Amino acid sequence: MHNALDVITVGEAMAMFVATDTGELSTVDRFIKRVAGAELNVATGLARLGLKVGWVSRIGDDSFGQFVLDSLKKEGIDASGVTIDGRYATGFQLKSKVENGTDPIVEYFRKGSAASHLSTEDFLPAYFRSARHLHLSGVAAALSSSSYELLDLAATTMKAQGKTVSFDPNLRPVLWKSEAEMIEKLNHLAFQADWVLPGVKEGMMLTGEKSPESIADFYLNKGVKAVVLKTGADGAWFKTSEGEKGAVAAVKVENVVDTVGAGDGFAVGVISALLEGKTLHQAIARGNKIGSLAIQVQGDSEGLPTRNQLSE
């Protein structure tokens, strides 16, 4: 029997080498090793807030894979759904250091990684049944057709069991064969979710609509219960299937250091608050707060707060 989980998420984790000095990656001599991955960032943030979280993936039987496992243990994330696959390597990435709020340069070394071989074989029915919520992202969907099939199966099954599902499109156009395929596949996953969390530009690309409300209606008309659009410095705008809508102002940040991880932090806030029974407005306010903390530090998950830090 599996212990009851609050959330399960599925995705790839990589070792990430973050430059200690600004400048071109080719000229930097020293790096700090971290762990990276959109879905793992969300799992980490939820675990720090005290939720019981499981993360499903594949890692290589190598030092990077062990590094990922050690990170899961340190954060208190359940690793029962992680497979060590000795046939393939754990991916890694290099990330430049920025201090002025611009996007860092990231170079990926992930092609053919262990996680790209995720498939429906990684769907453990009893494990997924033990959780009350499933969070998916477009990053894992883009890894491979077999990884996409796993996400589709997980979403369909959890939905049929009456569990809630959230989806962050997290667009990675470079990982898809075509923009048309990306739009079709990600919208198929989004239509199975209760809560869809796109950036406003992502929403425009996925729906062909121009305004936040028309983007939201595109998904609400397919059975989604709530659409929350991240609107950058303005915060977020939402609309529900019951017709409730509105804007939630961003938390003003004086010094933006590194924008990577802001969307994952936002997802952490929204998901955790909704699972605690908070209103959608309260959930988005928490998402904005955690997103603002994420962009004030170097690293993808370093700014994600504990429960005590959140309440300070």
Side-chain angles (χ1 to χ4, degrees), residues 89-172:
T90 308
F92 71 96
Q93 59 176 266
L94 304 177
K95 179 179 169 184
S96 68
K97 180 179 181 180
V98 292
E99 296 174 324
N100 57 359
T102 58
D103 291 338
I105 295 165
V106 183
E107 292 186 0
Y108 295 97
F109 300 83
R110 75 196 306 179
K111 191 173 177 63
S113 68
S116 72
H117 291 85
L118 278 163
S119 73
T120 52
E121 291 179 15
D122 296 289
F123 184 80
L124 308 171
Y127 188 64
F128 279 82
R129 196 162 53 239
S130 75
R132 60 191 180 114
H133 181 80
L134 174 69
H135 176 69
L136 300 177
S137 127
V139 181
L143 291 177
S144 63
S145 57
S146 65
S147 177
Y148 179 85
E149 287 165 7
L150 169 62
L151 268 58
D152 190 23
L153 175 63
T156 304
T157 307
M158 295 286 275
K159 187 87 170 167
Q161 292 173 355
K163 312 297 180 76
T164 50
V165 179
S166 54
F167 179 66
D168 182 346
N170 230 324
L171 298 189
R172 298 290 192 275

Side-chain angles (χ1 to χ4, degrees), residues 13-280:
M14 290 168 281
M16 175 172 68
F17 294 89
V18 187
T20 58
D21 300 304
T22 56
E24 295 291 328
L25 282 170
S26 59
T27 66
V28 175
D29 294 324
R30 293 181 179 83
F31 295 82
I32 300 169
K33 187 167 68 168
R34 297 277 187 264
V35 70
E39 301 84 5
L40 184 55
N41 291 340
V42 174
T44 299
L46 293 171
R48 286 183 189 169
L49 292 178
L51 280 80
K52 292 176 182 167
V53 187
W55 178 74
V56 174
S57 191
R58 284 183 173 255
I59 55 174
D61 187 10
D62 48 38
S63 59
F64 290 163
Q66 187 59 52
F67 178 56
V68 171
L69 286 178
D70 292 344
S71 299
L72 295 174
K73 189 173 181 181
K74 178 181 153 200
E75 297 292 349
I77 297 167
D78 186 272
S80 303
V82 178
T83 297
I84 299 172
D85 190 335
R87 299 169 299 168
Y88 310 105
T90 308
F92 71 96
Q93 59 176 266
L94 304 177
K95 179 179 169 184
S96 68
K97 180 179 181 180
V98 292
E99 296 174 324
N100 57 359
T102 58
D103 291 338
I105 295 165
V106 183
E107 292 186 0
Y108 295 97
F109 300 83
R110 75 196 306 179
K111 191 173 177 63
S113 68
S116 72
H117 291 85
L118 278 163
S119 73
T120 52
E121 291 179 15
D122 296 289
F123 184 80
L124 308 171
Y127 188 64
F128 279 82
R129 196 162 53 239
S130 75
R132 60 191 180 114
H133 181 80
L134 174 69
H135 176 69
L136 300 177
S137 127
V139 181
L143 291 177
S144 63
S145 57
S146 65
S147 177
Y148 179 85
E149 287 165 7
L150 169 62
L151 268 58
D152 190 23
L153 175 63
T156 304
T157 307
M158 295 286 275
K159 187 87 170 167
Q161 292 173 355
K163 312 297 180 76
T164 50
V165 179
S166 54
F167 179 66
D168 182 346
N170 230 324
L171 298 189
R172 298 290 192 275
V174 70
L175 294 179
W176 292 93
K177 289 176 187 158
S178 70
E179 187 176 298
E181 182 193 40
M182 176 181 74
I183 291 169
E184 179 197 349
K185 296 277 195 183
L186 294 188
N187 279 335
H188 175 73
L189 288 178
F191 296 157
Q192 299 178 73
D194 297 278
W195 316 325
V196 178
L197 312 171
V200 70
K201 288 181 181 174
E202 291 178 326
M204 290 167 72
M205 180 178 282
L206 289 171
T207 67
E209 302 292 344
K210 295 290 185 279
S211 71
E213 183 153 18
S214 57
I215 293 168
D217 287 341
F218 178 87
Y219 292 110
L220 296 172
N221 290 335
K222 295 290 186 177
V224 173
K225 292 195 175 82
V227 179
V228 183
L229 287 147
K230 293 163 277 191
T231 52
D234 293 330
W237 190 92
F238 71 93
K239 187 174 181 181
T240 71
S241 57
E242 295 168 352
E244 184 189 359
K245 60 185 177 181
V248 183
V251 176
K252 295 300 177 196
V253 174
E254 294 297 325
N255 183 32
V256 177
V257 175
D258 182 348
T259 56
V260 175
D264 299 331
F266 182 81
V268 167
V270 173
I271 294 164
S272 63
L274 289 177
L275 291 179
E276 290 166 23
K278 306 279 190 194
T279 66
L280 185 56

